Amino acid sequence: MRQISAEEVYAALPIGECIDVVAKAMVAVSRGQAVLPLRSLMPLGSGNAMGIMPGGLSSPAVHGIKLVSLYPRNPERGLSSHQGVILLFDTETGRPIAAVDGASVTAQRTAAASAAATRALARKDARVLAILGAGEQAEHHLPAHLAVRAFEEVRVWTRTFANAQAFAARHAHSVRSIRAVASAQEAVAGADVVVTVTASPTAILRGEWLQPGQHVNLVGASVASAREIDDAGVARGRFFVDTLAGAKAQAGEYIDALNAGVITEGHILGEIGRVYDRSLAGRLRDDDVTIYKSLGVAAQDLAVAYEILSRLP
Ligand code: NDP
């Protein structure tokens, strides 16, 4: 069985190409060409957990599982909060064929999924990007977004201002203007695209701050008990999800807004894969607010891991 390291993951599949692989996987998901049992989460105490994410794709024909330890305090020791492995199996024989580093694939596929949504839903003339959060996901979301729109200005906000400053300094070479801002509201005002990639359990983004024409990717809250935007924000936009089943069971923002009576079930317009294959309308007007709620899907992990395996000598 082949073992694939993080270095091999990054070298084999540049982010621009990863965006296309993930978009294709999401189309397959929405066409029913993937088997995706709901992800389960095993609590480990001290705020840690293990995620168990099985799945199967028909094209490419591969099945497997991502096993991922979620250790939110890992960044304090210089480690990714997501430690894991993606096991790929040959569909013909059932044989395990590869064990692929899970932290790097998770980082790349999540950023690629958001960037694909931005490519499909944000206005074509988007120039200002706001990133809320400055951890590992933010690191990957910036280059992924620069690959899909000609952003000229980036604002970054996070809980710890010094981290936003360090983020801006690290990425100063990659865009014309990047700066740390002291509040999330300041980051969002006048932005064309807003990306939330925090580990906050409560809303850090308010609907009243959103402006016509903005596109929002909600990425950081991946369990039902967490959320990054308030109810007014959920209600404010044309709302798309990665999978309907996952969102209804695990998307904290949607579930809370539904329970509060602020939205109805019909508020989810559909899966993002249907926007990609144009069977569902995305942005209708320049002044629409569009929202993509990302929970993360095993199909993304499998498609990216398999693509990397097939590219290696
Ligand atoms: P990191 O630990 O590297 O970064 C976390 C970021 O969130 C930091 O900027 C941190 O601020 C901020 N943060 C943490 N707690 C709070 C809080 N209470 N209020 C406001 N900000 C806070 O994590 P990652 O970047 O790896 O992951 C970010 C989130 O994305 C996680 O919740 C993770 O579970 C989720 N995720 C979602 C995926 C998906 O597919 N949708 C896939 C992978 C991850 P600072 O350090 O500056 O204080």
Side-chain angles (χ1 to χ4, degrees):
M1 181 171 64
R2 180 82 194 251
Q3 280 226 335
I4 299 176
S5 67
E7 290 71 27
E8 289 174 298
V9 166
Y10 291 123
L13 189 59
I15 189 69
E17 293 166 53
C18 190
I19 293 168
D20 293 330
V21 171
V22 169
K24 190 172 158 229
M26 297 316 290
V27 170
V29 166
S30 296
R31 288 182 178 169
Q33 295 161 352
V35 185
L36 285 177
L38 263 190
R39 174 188 57 185
S40 51
L41 209 60
M42 178 173 80
L44 296 174
S46 310
N48 302 321
M50 175 144 218
I52 300 150
M53 300 172 67
L57 301 173
S58 51
S59 173
V62 64
H63 64 271
I65 188 163
K66 177 160 84 171
L67 299 168
V68 59
S69 297
L70 308 168
Y71 276 59
R73 286 193 303 281
N74 256 2
E76 292 163 20
R77 6 179 188 196
L79 292 173
S80 167
S81 58
H82 288 58
Q83 298 288 325
V85 63
I86 297 155
L87 297 172
L88 297 180
F89 292 78
D90 174 52
T91 300
E92 191 83 17
T93 61
R95 229 170 25 96
I97 47 176
V100 186
D101 175 70
S104 53
V105 170
T106 302
Q108 287 286 82
R109 66 77 149 145
T110 307
S114 300
T118 294
R119 184 168 67 182
L121 293 173
R123 287 201 327 265
K124 297 273 179 289
D125 62 355
R127 293 292 176 269
V128 181
L129 172 66
I131 303 181
L132 309 184
E136 184 173 26
Q137 282 301 329
E139 289 290 334
H140 292 266
H141 274 70
L142 176 58
H145 276 73
L146 294 177
V148 297
R149 285 290 185 275
F151 289 108
E152 294 172 350
E153 182 187 338
V154 178
R155 297 95 172 262
V156 58
W157 168 84
T158 182
R159 180 179 58 177
T160 310
F161 186 62
N163 292 342
Q165 288 178 307
F167 184 95
R170 267 196 310 282
H171 294 282
H173 63 280
S174 63
V175 61
R176 204 164 86 183
S177 160
I178 179 166
R179 66 193 163 92
V181 293
S183 73
Q185 185 172 7
E186 189 184 339
V188 170
D192 300 305
V193 175
V194 179
V195 172
T196 66
V197 277
T198 74
S200 175
T202 54
I204 44 97
L205 176 58
R206 311 247 159 248
E208 68 196 44
W209 302 342
L210 296 180
Q211 293 166 342
Q214 288 182 326
H215 170 66
V216 182
N217 290 317
L218 303 173
V219 182
S222 42
V223 289
S225 56
R227 63 182 307 169
E228 292 187 289
I229 194 169
D230 65 5
D231 292 343
V234 173
R236 179 78 176 77
R238 288 178 59 75
F239 200 86
F240 303 91
V241 298
D242 43 22
T243 68
L244 278 174
K248 286 180 179 173
Q250 297 174 340
E253 290 96 347
Y254 164 75
I255 294 168
D256 285 357
L258 187 67
N259 289 340
V262 173
I263 57 165
T264 60
E265 279 195 18
H267 189 65
I268 298 181
L269 293 176
E271 295 183 346
I272 197 71
R274 295 195 50 220
V275 177
Y276 299 155
D277 77 0
R278 297 179 194 277
S279 60
L280 175 67
R283 171 175 293 279
L284 299 177
R285 297 154 42 118
D286 272 357
D287 61 359
D288 279 338
V289 170
T290 52
I291 302 178
Y292 169 57
K293 173 60 199 165
S294 158
L295 279 172
V297 184
Q300 299 165 346
D301 298 301
L302 297 178
V304 168
Y306 188 83
E307 177 69 23
I308 289 163
L309 174 66
S310 63
R311 288 179 179 215
L312 292 175

